[in-house]
Amino acid sequence: SDSTSGYQLKAGIKHSFGKFEGGVFVERMDGSDDVESTTYLGVDGRYAFTDDFHGVVGYSKDSDVGIFKLGVSYAY
């Protein structure tokens, strides 16, 4: 099987506004020689419906690709 190595680094800042938590970030992904490296800038948010159940939304973009994230999470 094929394998590759590399790294992913994500740093940002978040702030809580009651039940909503929002933030901005920069994310760097760098793979081996055959995988293209890229840097994303993005925003994300999380709304707490309950202490355990959250709605999640986010958007990030590099020079070519935009990624939209929409989901739910359960923390216990």
Side-chain angles (χ1 to χ4, degrees):
S1 73
D2 292 334
S3 66
T4 187
S5 61
Y7 69 89
Q8 178 178 359
L9 179 66
K10 184 175 181 179
I13 187 166
K14 289 192 174 204
H15 185 71
S16 179
F17 305 94
K19 290 186 170 242
F20 180 77
E21 177 184 284
V24 296
F25 64 88
V26 61
E27 182 176 15
R28 174 74 179 166
M29 292 190 296
D30 195 359
S32 63
D33 294 336
D34 60 342
V35 177
E36 188 175 325
S37 302
T38 189
T39 301
Y40 289 95
L41 299 175
V43 296
D44 57 12
R46 177 179 300 264
Y47 183 81
F49 297 110
T50 68
D51 288 342
D52 299 330
F53 184 65
H54 306 99
V56 180
V57 65
Y59 182 77
S60 59
K61 180 154 178 42
D62 72 352
S63 61
D64 297 328
V65 176
I67 299 172
F68 181 71
K69 173 175 64 173
L70 181 63
V72 293
S73 69
Y74 180 77
Y76 54 94

